[in-house]
Amino acid sequence: MPKSASYQDFLIKSIQKSQDAAAYIEAILEEKDPEPELLRNALRNMVEAKAKINHLSPTLKQQHEQLDKMLTESGGAEIYTFVEFLDSLGFQVGIVPKEK
């Protein structure tokens, strides 16, 4: 089901701040039994948010294209398996904005 334009606009605006973007991707990584497209869509949304505030470098765009290709093939299985493995070891993944 496609997202409504107003929801998509709200989402993109809400993840333009680094703290909110970090919480968004962290929540995606914590999903139990995620749909294969979930991580790809989240990363696409994050790239769109960066583009809206003019922080989309050519390197970031190229990295996103490479990662998107890998996630298309695997559905993010490796990433989610890694997160589950860490959970079994008693750890959790935390996403925090980089200090400038």
Side-chain angles (χ1 to χ4, degrees), residues 81-99:
T81 300
F82 177 66
V83 171
E84 287 177 19
F85 175 71
L86 290 174
D87 183 60
S88 295
L89 289 172
F91 297 98
Q92 68 184 45
V93 174
I95 308 294
V96 296
K98 217 165 118 174
E99 291 185 24

Side-chain angles (χ1 to χ4, degrees), residues 21-46:
Y24 173 64
I25 197 66
E26 192 171 292
I28 298 299
L29 291 174
E30 291 174 351
E31 275 294 312
K32 302 296 181 203
D33 196 28
E35 295 178 22
E37 292 292 312
L38 186 63
L39 186 56
R40 282 184 66 220
N41 288 336
L43 295 175
R44 190 177 305 122
N45 290 334
M46 292 184 69

Side-chain angles (χ1 to χ4, degrees), residues 8 11 18 21-22 31 33 35 52 54 57 61 63 68-70 76 86-87 90 94 97 99:
Q8 184 67 15
L11 175 62
S18 294
E31 275 294 312
D33 196 28
E35 295 178 22
K52 294 267 186 192
N54 297 321
S57 69
K61 184 177 178 177
Q63 289 170 335
D68 190 61
K69 182 179 177 185
M70 287 187 282
L86 290 174
D87 183 60
E99 291 185 24

